[in-house]
Amino acid sequence: MRSLILSAVAVVAFAFAGNAAQAERLTEKPLVDANWVEANLDNPSLVVVDIRSMTKEGSPYDAGHIPGSVYAPYGKFGWRAKVNDVVGMLPPLDVISKRIGSLGIDNDKQVVVVPAGQNSSDFGAATRVYWTFKVLGHDAVTILDGGQRAWLAAGKAVSTDAVAPDAVAFNVNFRPELLATAEDVAKARENGVALIDARPESQFKGETKSGVVARAGAVPGAKNISQSEFYSDQEGAFVASDVIESLVSDAGVDKDAKEITYCNTGHWASVAWFGLSEVMGNKNTAMYDGSMTEWAADPNREMVVSE
């Protein structure tokens, strides 16, 4: 079913692509620091997107944000969607493009994504949003390394003035090579594609499982590199490329291998995808957004539990 949907999506994306222009990038780097963001705040091509989730205390954006940033909380804005009863999927292209346009982001804008930055799982909100822009064909996107945590640690100014952007048109140039399907995962071994399971080791081994996943275990042949290895909770920063190369080597995967990352809902998988594709530089990397929620729901799909 997903393959049929993607075929239809590809047709729609082709129609969108005719009007899509690629932004002039203010940076080629996947990660920038607080000084870079501050130096570019007055650039009209820049849109800073605060994706911090609501807390028990209320809106972290209202409490203080990077001046001029727009607010699109990860859990409420609609960066992910339930598709065919599977949570965490890429929303339909017409839906997500309209949402992005509502933030004042068109195809000429450079986007900076700002998470809270407290830990690796939180940072996964930023990597998932970053991946969304990439799969939609928008390369002018980067992440504030360490998020709002790093901004505050650097002593930068915050504002409580909310920004209400004017809606604009954001056109999609869909990149199917960045989005893996269940069919791609099923054929991975015979096609020589490495599978990277970004979940904690206990879930990979089948000792525990997420509540949204029907069965414990992993996809046969997968290698485990936990998303927590890609981000230093203590330092509040993404790890360097050489660290990721060591993680890949230790997992027994070639650093240039064709690979697919997965987790439970395509959240932690985006941390691994970002590290492998954008920081280490392996552009042969795709992400399976359906992940174990979709995979394990079908009893005919094989899973393994470690002894």
Side-chain angles (χ1 to χ4, degrees):
M1 178 62 71
R2 185 74 190 279
S3 61
L4 295 177
I5 292 173
L6 286 178
S7 296
V9 164
V11 173
V12 175
F14 180 79
F16 283 154
N19 295 320
Q22 192 52 252
E24 179 180 354
R25 300 176 68 176
L26 301 181
T27 179
E28 299 290 324
K29 297 179 179 179
L31 294 162
V32 292
D33 61 19
N35 289 332
W36 186 94
V37 175
E38 182 181 53
N40 285 277
L41 280 181
D42 292 331
N43 192 315
S45 295
L46 187 75
V47 178
V48 179
V49 184
D50 188 329
I51 63 164
R52 290 176 293 163
S53 295
M54 301 288 286
T55 67
K56 294 179 180 179
E57 290 72 34
S59 167
Y61 179 83
D62 291 344
H65 52 266
I66 295 174
S69 61
V70 298
Y71 192 40
Y74 182 66
K76 295 287 187 181
F77 181 72
W79 292 109
R80 306 196 297 169
K82 188 175 184 179
V83 178
N84 294 332
D85 292 325
V86 180
V87 298
M89 304 285 273
L90 178 71
L93 296 187
D94 58 338
V95 174
I96 190 61
S97 62
K98 186 174 181 179
R99 286 175 182 161
I100 290 173
S102 74
L103 299 174
I105 299 172
D106 59 24
N107 298 88
D108 294 324
K109 292 295 191 291
Q110 169 73 55
V111 177
V112 178
V113 183
V114 182
Q118 296 303 317
N119 53 56
S120 60
S121 188
D122 167 79
F123 201 79
T127 55
R128 176 59 190 255
V129 171
Y130 178 104
W131 173 85
T132 299
F133 276 101
K134 285 287 187 174
V135 81
L136 297 179
H138 192 80
D139 282 329
V141 60
T142 188
I143 299 174
L144 173 58
D145 196 8
Q148 189 75 5
R149 172 183 173 181
W151 182 262
L152 296 176
K156 305 300 184 184
V158 297
S159 171
T160 56
D161 296 331
V163 175
D166 294 326
V168 295
F170 177 84
N171 297 309
V172 172
N173 184 16
F174 182 60
R175 289 176 174 149
E177 68 273 14
L178 298 183
L179 174 63
T181 66
E183 290 76 16
D184 295 328
V185 173
K187 296 178 181 178
R189 282 188 293 176
E190 65 181 82
N191 291 336
V193 177
L195 296 174
I196 307 298
D197 188 322
R199 298 175 300 163
E201 185 180 21
S202 63
Q203 293 188 15
F204 172 72
K205 289 183 174 181
E207 297 169 350
T208 62
K209 73 176 186 67
S210 166
V212 298
V213 174
R215 294 178 287 151
V219 180
K223 305 293 185 179
N224 183 220
I225 308 178
S226 173
Q227 56 86 29
S228 62
E229 299 290 340
F230 291 91
Y231 187 84
S232 171
D233 292 358
Q234 182 176 358
E235 297 179 7
F238 212 84
V239 301
S241 178
D242 60 337
V243 175
I244 300 173
E245 288 185 17
S246 294
L247 292 173
V248 170
S249 177
D250 291 345
V253 179
D254 189 275
K255 71 175 185 177
D256 298 318
K258 290 185 178 181
E259 56 197 3
I260 296 171
T261 66
Y262 75 86
C263 58
N264 291 314
T265 65
H267 176 86
W268 288 337
S270 73
V271 180
W273 174 86
F274 182 82
L276 297 168
S277 172
E278 306 304 282
V279 178
M280 190 181 73
N282 183 0
K283 298 302 182 180
N284 294 316
T285 310
M287 189 187 80
Y288 176 29
D289 62 341
S291 285
M292 294 307 294
T293 302
E294 181 181 42
W295 183 267
D298 185 344
N300 294 316
R301 294 192 181 114
E302 187 179 359
M303 294 177 65
V304 293
V305 175
S306 300
E307 295 294 336

